[in-house]
Amino acid sequence: EEGMEKRDNILFSDTFDVKDVDKGGKKFDRISRIDGRSQTHDMSLILDINSELYPLDAGDKFKLTLASTLSLSDGGKDAAAFGKGEANWRSYINGDERSLADDYDYVMFGRVYRYDDDSGSKVSAFVSFGGLLMCLEGDIRHLQNFVVGDSVYLLVKSI
């Protein structure tokens, strides 16, 4: 792990291989459902992305980071500065101040809406990004920072 990765606002970060795209057939024009498998932590991922903005194909690799804030300074101001919703965080990442988003190609903002820990050491965290869904499943050690109701930023960059 690089030194940067250990910051408190990073909930999870790993590199994923795209195993499948729209496995059950395409449901919506501009949305693709990605099936991924992580390289380091053996996590499985299902993720809806806007395929117009950010197309991914089977065989692609990407880095996925889930963070509680985009601020690069600890206890950064973004929670207070844009707790009001999407318009504000979008203007923040397009503004002058450097943020985590600067190093990524695709960013979404959402909320944890479900957390399943019924099956012992394997757990699943579910996040909705304005109706685009993510399910991340794997060992509880990598998902213990996810709390239902919390806000989450999803950041992706191609490798």
Side-chain angles (χ1 to χ4, degrees), residues 2-97:
E2 309 101 280
M4 280 291 292
E5 295 299 308
K6 279 291 152 231
R7 300 228 325 280
D8 289 347
N9 61 329
I10 306 285
L11 303 172
F12 176 83
S13 193
D14 203 347
T15 299
F16 283 80
D17 295 303
V18 179
K19 295 294 183 204
D20 226 321
V21 179
D22 295 317
K23 189 161 53 179
K26 205 162 172 59
K27 306 274 194 294
F28 302 101
D29 275 351
R30 295 187 296 276
I31 307 299
S32 284
R33 179 157 283 186
I34 305 299
D35 277 87
R37 164 76 47 189
S38 82
Q39 296 185 348
T40 312
H41 299 311
D42 194 32
M43 311 289 281
S44 65
L45 172 75
I46 296 171
L47 176 65
D48 294 340
I49 58 167
N50 182 324
S51 50
E52 239 180 16
L53 291 177
Y54 196 71
L56 282 169
D57 296 309
D60 286 352
K61 290 187 193 321
F62 63 91
K63 179 177 180 182
L64 172 83
T65 296
L66 296 162
S68 54
T69 77
L70 295 174
S71 173
L72 292 175
S73 55
D74 287 331
K77 66 179 175 61
D78 59 334
F82 46 84
K84 314 274 185 309
E86 174 151 334
N88 295 333
W89 75 263
R90 284 202 183 278
S91 63
Y92 171 83
I93 63 175
N94 294 324
D96 298 334
E97 195 176 329

Side-chain angles (χ1 to χ4, degrees), residues 99-111:
S99 78
L100 195 57
D102 294 346
D103 298 327
Y104 290 83
D105 306 319
Y106 181 82
V107 182
M108 291 196 292
F109 174 69
R111 264 184 215 298

